[in-house]
Amino acid sequence: MTDHSFLTNVRHAYDTIAEAYVEYVRDEMASQPFERAMLAVFAETVRGPVLEVGCGTGRITEHLHQLGMDVSGVDLSPEMLGIARRTYPHLKFELGSMTDLDLPAAGFGGIVAWYSLFYLPPALHHTVLSTFHRAIVPGGRLMLAFHAGDDNAIHHDQLGGYDVDLDSYRLDPERLSERLVAAGFVVHAKLVREPVPDREKAPQGYILARKPA
Ligand SMILES: C[S@@+](CC[C@H](N)C(=O)[O-])C[C@H]1O[C@@H](n2cnc3c(N)ncnc32)[C@H](O)[C@@H]1O
């Protein structure tokens, strides 16, 4: 059985940096045409309710809402969620971990995990992707954003100028695609873009997957 104690470190790190995170991503969406493009395709192809897993302070949830989606969010960090609820009171946000979600079968047209799956040890991907697969309607979509690499773990003892103690994983788009297929998805689109100089340390990956109809 995989040890889930890493979740305590992730929660603690995001509780600590929550206020700073808002500032860090304030202009992110406006300056990222590829991200807007992938989310636009997701929004155009999804019918029905959408869940953002690892929604943090809610900027992507709100972006999807602005695109006309019926969207809610779930996150591990109470502090991140507090900001999301305060900033976007018209949206619903719940506390929870993607490793332990009790989602209705075929309850969602789509799920988004935008820069959140990469805190999971890859050994847990299959279980979590299978949970997502069960929760998505046939023909629905799963959208992932992540730092790309070769599944190597990166240890962080500083994040946004704060002391933290957590690991993230730079995910290999090919291996992640294989795991998506193993969980029952078809890979619909895959994008890797170069890092933004002086801001990002790795290429960034985006995968749009489809649950077969
Ligand atoms: C880099 S932030 C991304 C937040 C948001 N998606 C965005 O793009 O602004 C990562 C978020 O994932 C959340 N997270 C990490 N592991 C999680 C898990 N197992 N379940 C739910 N949320 C998780 C963290 O608490 C944090 O809010």
Side-chain angles (χ1 to χ4, degrees):
M1 208 166 122
T2 313
D3 178 11
H4 283 195
S5 58
F6 70 94
L7 291 173
T8 308
N9 292 16
V10 178
R11 181 187 298 111
H12 181 68
Y14 274 95
D15 278 348
T16 305
I17 68 159
E19 295 290 344
Y21 184 82
V22 179
E23 286 310 312
Y24 184 72
V25 295
R26 188 172 296 283
D27 301 321
E28 190 74 2
M29 190 58 78
S31 65
Q32 291 289 358
F34 286 118
E35 302 206 347
R36 293 199 304 277
M38 291 302 273
L39 289 168
V41 176
F42 175 82
E44 212 173 290
T45 48
V46 167
R47 300 284 168 270
V50 168
L51 182 66
E52 190 197 356
V53 179
C55 60
T57 53
R59 70 185 180 109
I60 301 297
T61 330
E62 170 65 8
H63 184 78
L64 294 169
H65 170 70
Q66 293 289 334
L67 292 176
M69 314 212 77
D70 168 14
V71 58
S72 58
V74 62
D75 200 278
L76 185 61
S77 157
E79 293 295 330
M80 295 288 272
L81 278 182
I83 294 171
R85 288 177 178 139
R86 218 164 55 225
T87 316
Y88 309 112
H90 51 286
L91 298 178
K92 195 170 132 215
F93 297 101
E94 285 184 17
L95 188 64
S97 171
M98 66 177 80
T99 51
D100 189 26
L101 290 177
D102 185 18
L103 301 177
F108 296 94
I111 291 181
V112 177
W114 199 259
Y115 292 109
S116 57
L117 189 78
F118 70 138
Y119 288 111
L120 276 190
L124 289 177
H125 283 179
H126 183 73
T127 307
V128 169
L129 294 176
S130 299
T131 303
F132 292 167
H133 183 270
R134 181 178 170 277
I136 292 173
V137 288
R141 300 290 194 274
L142 173 64
M143 178 80 233
L144 305 174
F146 51 92
H147 303 305
D150 62 2
D151 282 359
N152 49 316
I154 309 281
H155 183 72
H156 307 267
D157 49 26
Q158 283 268 309
L159 208 57
Y162 292 86
D163 290 341
V164 298
D165 173 19
L166 87 157
D167 293 327
S168 68
Y169 299 82
R170 289 188 184 157
L171 302 179
D172 179 341
E174 298 311 317
R175 262 179 260 163
L176 185 53
S177 298
E178 287 165 13
R179 290 182 203 122
L180 282 161
V181 170
F185 289 100
V186 172
V187 174
H188 188 49
K190 192 162 30 182
L191 168 72
V192 178
R193 66 160 174 83
E194 65 177 357
V196 174
D198 301 325
R199 181 166 171 93
E200 295 169 338
K201 296 191 177 74
Q204 305 297 303
Y206 307 88
I207 296 182
L208 180 60
R210 169 167 53 83
K211 177 169 173 172

